[in-house]
Amino acid sequence: MALNWAMLSPDRAPIPLPDELIIRTVDVGVDLTVTIPNAPPTGSVTSGGSGGAKKMKEMGRLFLTDQRLIFVADASQRKPTFESLSIPLTSLLSSKFEQPLLGSNYLVLDIKPATAGGLKDGTRAEIRMKEKGIFEFASTLDKTRERAVYMKRQQADEEEGLPTYSTPAGTPGLEAGPSNASYTGGVPSELPPAYE
């Protein structure tokens, strides 16, 4: 997951990755809050901050593809605190649908940050939708994420196949070619001298 890594077209839509398909789009009324956990205090603000959690909140659009969840902030009114948030579906550690007693339903995402992506371990995002129900979106996100994780595991299994072994040349007793024993029904027709 990374802040401001999504490539955007002139109309502020994400440019798809190779072989990426957009599954669902929410064009209006998406409220995203990103909470970056406590950073240890350091000597200067540029080298890591002065400590404490950082919360960033923006309104914008949400795109769910078969590979990523992408939020694009609305820049029509003012300059946003962040332009975009791109989360590979395999980097979603968990998602939780929250139904508070008072207030609207929302989705909480625990995310594994990308190296040099501007975020830290323990980063959490909350998604609220003002004009659409979020339950249907949450279930579509979960199904799409499960498929992405499954496909990544399948790809890893295919790459991890066993190597092909060959017999070293000149190894006694392991010469290639037909053996002098013939097999019928799994029982050798010739038995070694010790068994006769």
Side-chain angles (χ1 to χ4, degrees), residues 25-66:
T25 303
V26 181
D27 287 326
V28 72
V30 178
D31 184 10
L32 178 78
T33 304
V34 177
T35 304
I36 302 172
N38 290 341
T42 58
S44 73
V45 173
T46 58
S47 65
S50 59
K54 182 178 181 180
K55 256 189 176 178
M56 297 182 288
K57 184 176 180 179
E58 286 297 332
M59 293 288 293
R61 301 186 308 169
L62 197 59
F63 300 84
L64 175 61
T65 74
D66 59 343

Side-chain angles (χ1 to χ4, degrees), residues 7 9 13-22 65-68 70:
M7 291 177 46
S9 66
I15 297 173
L17 299 173
D19 300 321
E20 185 176 34
L21 300 171
I22 294 178
T65 74
D66 59 343
Q67 298 178 30
R68 303 180 287 171
I70 307 158

Side-chain angles (χ1 to χ4, degrees), residues 140-157:
T140 304
L141 173 63
D142 284 342
K143 289 175 188 173
T144 307
R145 178 182 164 268
E146 286 172 12
R147 177 153 173 74
V149 169
Y150 174 78
M151 295 304 287
K152 185 176 181 180
R153 285 183 184 152
Q154 287 293 104
Q155 183 181 14
D157 288 347

